[in-house]
Amino acid sequence: MEKKLAYLGPRGTFTEEAARALTAGQKLSLVPYSSIIEVLNAVAKEEVAFGVVPMENSIEGTVNSTLDWLIHEVDLPILAELALPITQNLLVAKREHSLPLSEITKVLSHPQAIAQSHNFLRENLPGAAIEYVNSTAFAAQMVSENPQEPWAAVGTKLNVEIYPLEFAQEQIQDYSNNYTRFVLVGQEPLDMPASSKEKTTILVTLPEDFPGALYQVLAAFAWRKVNLSRIESRPTKKALGSYYFVIDIEQKMDDVLLPGAFAEIEAIGCQVRQLGTYPFYLQQANS
């Protein structure tokens, strides 16, 4: 029986692009879900074997719902990560005469896509209403199903292949170096191709009565010359000012350095939870 992989849908999202890239050559059936939380819950409940969700955008930062759900609600290892170049486009329904930008009354898309195209929308469609929806693909679907309305969607080029849409304007993102990190999660291993870069992500909870604990945590990696690429605080949801720290380590789990660092961190009263050790892939913008 073919295993299933959940992704943020409907068809035509950047998450679908990432899912296809991450699982190229794998015998998996891709299933769209309407929200990040539904994707992660489907994997946790074993409705599907794997899931792909966005984790962070280079312009807008962390996708909070992904990180918080992985921390608080499900225990799903990260199996792989892909940095995907993001190109936003303004899409309108196909019609006999092209819809001028000046006649567009509403723009629909995911909040991240709107934010990534803020300058273009402000300068070229200042009078258009903005409507946020769950995904760029759902915005494209809504626009395609209402061709009589002077609406536009912000989304991926893939949507033009799926829905009866055309480009009102291509590449409307505000920054050319726009990438989103997507993670593959699952409760069972998946054979992934070799990568030149490996990562390990951990969650560290600091003791409340240990001044300077975060410094000690970072020092445990520093003197071992282990590079950290990201450290981010997230609320524990227990009290104001109480945080977890999510740390990305630029190497895979080994038998000496990382276990030693974790033991040193735990010795000062911190809790360490591994969120995954996995390959990292970068898709070039011109590929």
Side-chain angles (χ1 to χ4, degrees), residues 30-44:
L30 273 59
V31 183
Y33 282 73
S34 61
S35 73
I36 289 170
I37 291 172
E38 287 185 16
V39 170
L40 296 175
N41 281 344
V43 182

Side-chain angles (χ1 to χ4, degrees), residues 177-189:
N177 61 335
N178 188 7
Y179 279 79
T180 294
R181 296 169 54 219
F182 294 88
V183 292
L184 171 71
V185 298
Q187 300 194 66
E188 58 183 273

Side-chain angles (χ1 to χ4, degrees), residues 55-56 78 81 181 183 195 197-201 229-230 247-253 258 276-281:
M55 176 69 84
E56 181 186 20
I78 299 173
E81 179 180 299
R181 296 169 54 219
V183 292
S195 172
K197 186 175 181 180
E198 302 274 347
K199 296 175 66 175
T200 300
T201 299
S229 61
R230 182 175 69 119
I247 300 175
D248 283 352
I249 305 166
E250 292 290 286
Q251 69 175 65
K252 65 180 179 181
M253 191 65 188
L258 295 192
T277 185
Y278 49 90
F280 169 83
Y281 308 97

Side-chain angles (χ1 to χ4, degrees), residues 73-138:
E73 303 296 338
V74 296
D75 187 10
L76 297 173
I78 299 173
L79 304 177
E81 179 180 299
L82 170 69
L84 183 76
I86 302 298
T87 301
Q88 303 290 1
N89 305 276
L90 191 68
L91 313 172
V92 295
K94 285 185 177 179
R95 45 174 55 87
E96 185 176 352
H97 300 289
S98 296
L99 180 66
L101 296 185
S102 59
E103 294 183 13
I104 295 173
T105 61
K106 183 162 67 173
V107 178
L108 303 92
S109 199
H110 187 275
Q112 288 261 355
I114 294 293
Q116 292 164 21
S117 313
H118 172 77
N119 291 341
F120 174 88
L121 297 175
R122 178 175 54 83
E123 293 171 6
N124 295 276
L125 294 89
I130 303 297
E131 182 173 328
Y132 298 117
V133 295
N134 282 345
S135 70
T136 54
F138 184 59

